[in-house]
Structures are given as C-alpha cells and as structure tokens.
Amino acid sequence: MKKSLRLLMFLLIIPFFIFADSETEFDVAKCYDSASSNDALNACASEDYALADQKLNQVYTKLIEQIKGNINPDAIEQSDAAIETLNRLIASEKAWILYRDTQCNFEGTVMIGGEGESVVITGCLSRLTKERAKILEESIIQPKIEY
C-alpha cells in the first residue's frame, strides 16, 4: 500500500518537474525521490512552493515597478493608461489567487481525506505559481511599455 501511495504521489507530482527553475539549487525531483514518509513529501512540496512563491513575488514586484515607471504627471494620457494597467494587473492577481487556491483544493480531492492530500494541494500550488510567474515574466521581457 505504501509503495502504491508513493507511486501515485510521484505520478501526480511529475507535471511539477516540467517547470523546474534551474536558477535554484533545490531539486524537487531529488527531494521526492528520497522522501521516505508523508512528512518528507510535504516538506519537499512546501519547499518547492516557497521557492515558486518567492519567484512570483519578485516578478510581480518588477512588473509593478515597470508600470509605475510610466506614470508621469507631465503626460496625463500616458499616466492614465499606466494607472489603468496597474489596476488591471492588481485585479488580475487577486482573481488568479482565488482561482489557484480553489483549483488546487479541487485537485487535492484525488487523495481526499488521505495523508497525501496536502502534498497534492501544495504541489498544485507550486505548479500554478510557477506558471503564473512565467506569464507575468513575459510581460517584463518586452521593452518598456509605452502609452
């Protein structure tokens, strides 16, 4: 039973490896492979999620700063567009957080009530957070936004 639980957990977590961040030294795949208990699996998932959340916060902050850099009191139209862009980004982030949390709670139902439920939920949080960071990062890579 424990082997089948570990296999199921591994199969559920495989998609998270696709978004591995080569900049970090934490190797989530290695962590999961060496985990010998549910607590160890939870620790792996939590560390991966913490790193993903840190990356998202960095990207989000950089994007906010980029947009704020376009607010210019001498160029009202440019400033109005930048303020609207900022407001839409903030609204988007709030909606995305609600989506992420509810989606991951849903994904956790594959192990509902079991020891692995929290690992699945945290793994999902990590995966979606990495995806969101990549989406927002694509907005930063573009040249400075001109209005």
Side-chain angles (χ1 to χ4, degrees):
M1 178 66 180
K2 283 187 179 183
K3 285 186 179 183
S4 61
L5 176 63
R6 287 186 67 181
L7 177 61
L8 177 61
M9 296 304 299
F10 183 74
L11 292 174
L12 289 171
I13 295 167
I14 287 285
F16 310 136
F17 302 146
I18 296 170
F19 298 100
D21 186 357
S22 60
E23 295 177 17
T24 63
E25 293 193 25
F26 178 70
D27 185 346
V28 68
K30 189 175 182 178
C31 186
Y32 282 123
D33 286 344
S34 65
S36 59
S37 68
N38 193 59
D39 287 341
L41 288 170
N42 274 323
C44 294
S46 294
E47 178 67 17
D48 193 43
Y49 175 53
L51 291 171
D53 193 51
Q54 180 181 22
K55 172 73 173 179
L56 175 60
N57 288 333
Q58 291 170 349
V59 170
Y60 184 75
T61 299
K62 187 173 181 179
L63 184 55
I64 293 269
E65 289 170 359
Q66 182 184 26
I67 294 167
K68 284 183 175 180
N70 284 303
I71 298 174
N72 179 352
D74 296 328
I76 294 173
E77 278 187 36
Q78 175 182 341
S79 291
D80 288 347
I83 291 167
E84 182 62 22
T85 301
L86 185 61
N87 289 336
R88 289 183 188 190
L89 173 63
I90 292 167
S92 171
E93 193 66 11
K94 287 178 181 178
W96 175 80
I97 290 168
L98 179 62
Y99 161 76
R100 180 203 60 195
D101 292 348
T102 54
Q103 176 63 29
C104 292
N105 278 327
F106 169 70
E107 287 186 24
T109 62
V110 298
M111 300 288 287
I112 198 162
E115 289 184 1
E117 183 177 2
S118 63
V119 177
V120 173
I121 291 171
T122 307
C124 173
L125 292 170
S126 178
R127 184 185 82 244
L128 294 182
T129 300
K130 289 175 185 180
E131 290 173 2
R132 178 68 174 175
K134 283 186 178 195
I135 289 168
L136 293 181
E137 199 165 36
E138 289 173 3
S139 298
I140 293 172
I141 292 172
Q142 298 171 9
K144 189 172 183 179
I145 301 169
E146 297 293 331
Y147 296 99

